[in-house]
Structure formats: structure tokens, C-alpha cells
Amino acid sequence: MTQLVTGKKTRFATAWLGGCSGCHMSLLDLDERLIELFQAADLLYSPIADIKEFPRQVDVTLVEGAVANVDHLELARQIRERSHIVVSFGDCAVTGNVTSLRNRLEVDDLLSMVYREGPGREPRGREGDGILPALIPRVLPLHQVIAVDAFIPGCPPDPDTIWEAVSALLHGAPVRLKQEMRYFG
Ligand code: SF4
């Protein structure tokens, strides 16, 4: 098992955009290695921590899911602005994967099929309804919206691959990683 060797704790975050949360489930499958992870890192933001505002000066952020709506767009840009290293975490973030299956449909057609022909409600249109965020025309992989420093492919990535990546990222690698994109798995 790779040992994390760190000095000061890494400021660590994970985010959940357009995905099924399976990548986060796989992260939790690190099991006892989570103890070592959180001895080396402070978790500042994550769907498993329920923190509302994405913090500033984050060292490493793993982003699960593709960019599918205006809220994802805003959060992705905020993550990029506030994170030293951004990692595309899982196939939906890396390629669009399952989330992008709706790309063969126009958004208006999709909403009509779901809300008019489906449960019998009016389509909500492109602008959203003030409750649900508006869908963007096409689902995009993360690197088409913001610059990404590393990729962890897989649907979901297996825990050993996640561990390899997280170990490298928390082991003083961020400076090196900025110099060339890194692909794990
Ligand atoms: Fe879910 Fe697979 Fe997408 Fe991860 S990559 S969010 S497991 S569908």
C-alpha cells in the first residue's frame, strides 16, 4: 500500500456535478485507507460533508460528473478559480459518459418528453423554473469547461486507482502536476 508522507495537511475537496455519485461511493471504498487520507488532508468541501460554499485556497479538488446545467457551470468555474489542482474524477467528468447520453436530443425536446409526454407536466424550458437549474444545450466533459490538471478515468474508478492518484496528489506532487497533465489508471 502506498503511504502518504506529508508535512502540513493538504486542503482537499471533492465535488459532485452531473454524475450518479458512484465515483464518490468508490472513494468511500478506500475503507481503512480513508483514515490515512484524512490524516494527510483536511476535507474542506464534499457532498459527504454537506458544506454549502466552495472554499478558497484548496490544494486538490476531485470533480465527479459532467457539466450539464448552469449550476454545474458556475461551480466548475469557482472550483478552478479556488483550487491549485483540479482532477477530472471518473468517466462522466473525463468524457461525458452516461450523463452525455442526452446530447442526441435538443433540450426543449428532452424537457417536453419528460414533462409533457412523461409525468404529464408542462415543459420547463431552457431558463429553468427558479427551483431546478436550467440545462445547458450539451453536456460537456469537465476539461471542455475549465482547465484540468489530472484525470482519473473509470466508471467508477476502482479504489486502488483512486488511491494511487490521491497518494501522488497529496505527496507533494501538485507542483509537478501543474507542469504536465497527468492520467491515472
Ligand atoms: Fe456514475 Fe460512472 Fe459517471 Fe462515476 S463515471 S458518476 S460511477 S456513471
Side-chain angles (χ1 to χ4, degrees), residues 18-23 64-65 89-93 97-99 154-157:
C20 74
S21 87
C23 295
E64 172 192 316
F89 179 37
D91 281 352
C92 289
N97 195 33
V98 175
T99 315
C155 181

Side-chain angles (χ1 to χ4, degrees), residues 59-132:
D59 294 316
V60 177
T61 302
L62 305 187
V63 181
E64 172 192 316
V67 178
N69 65 40
V70 294
D71 282 4
H72 297 156
L73 266 179
E74 185 183 340
L75 180 57
R77 288 171 180 154
Q78 206 169 54
I79 287 168
R80 181 65 278 175
E81 192 185 302
R82 299 180 178 183
S83 305
H84 186 62
I85 293 291
V86 176
V87 182
S88 200
F89 179 37
D91 281 352
C92 289
V94 174
T95 70
N97 195 33
V98 175
T99 315
S100 66
L101 289 176
R102 65 108 155 147
N103 282 352
R104 65 193 176 88
L105 297 171
E106 292 296 323
V107 166
D108 289 339
D109 293 344
L110 175 72
L111 292 169
S112 287
M113 289 168 72
V114 171
Y115 290 107
R116 184 175 289 151
E117 298 159 23
R121 297 172 61 177
E122 288 298 309
R124 298 175 182 211
R126 286 182 184 277
E127 304 308 318
D129 60 0
I131 299 172
L132 297 176

Side-chain angles (χ1 to χ4, degrees), residues 47-64:
I48 59 175
D50 194 28
I51 296 162
K52 306 300 181 200
E53 176 85 8
F54 193 83
R56 295 183 183 278
Q57 297 183 325
V58 177
D59 294 316
V60 177
T61 302
L62 305 187
V63 181
E64 172 192 316

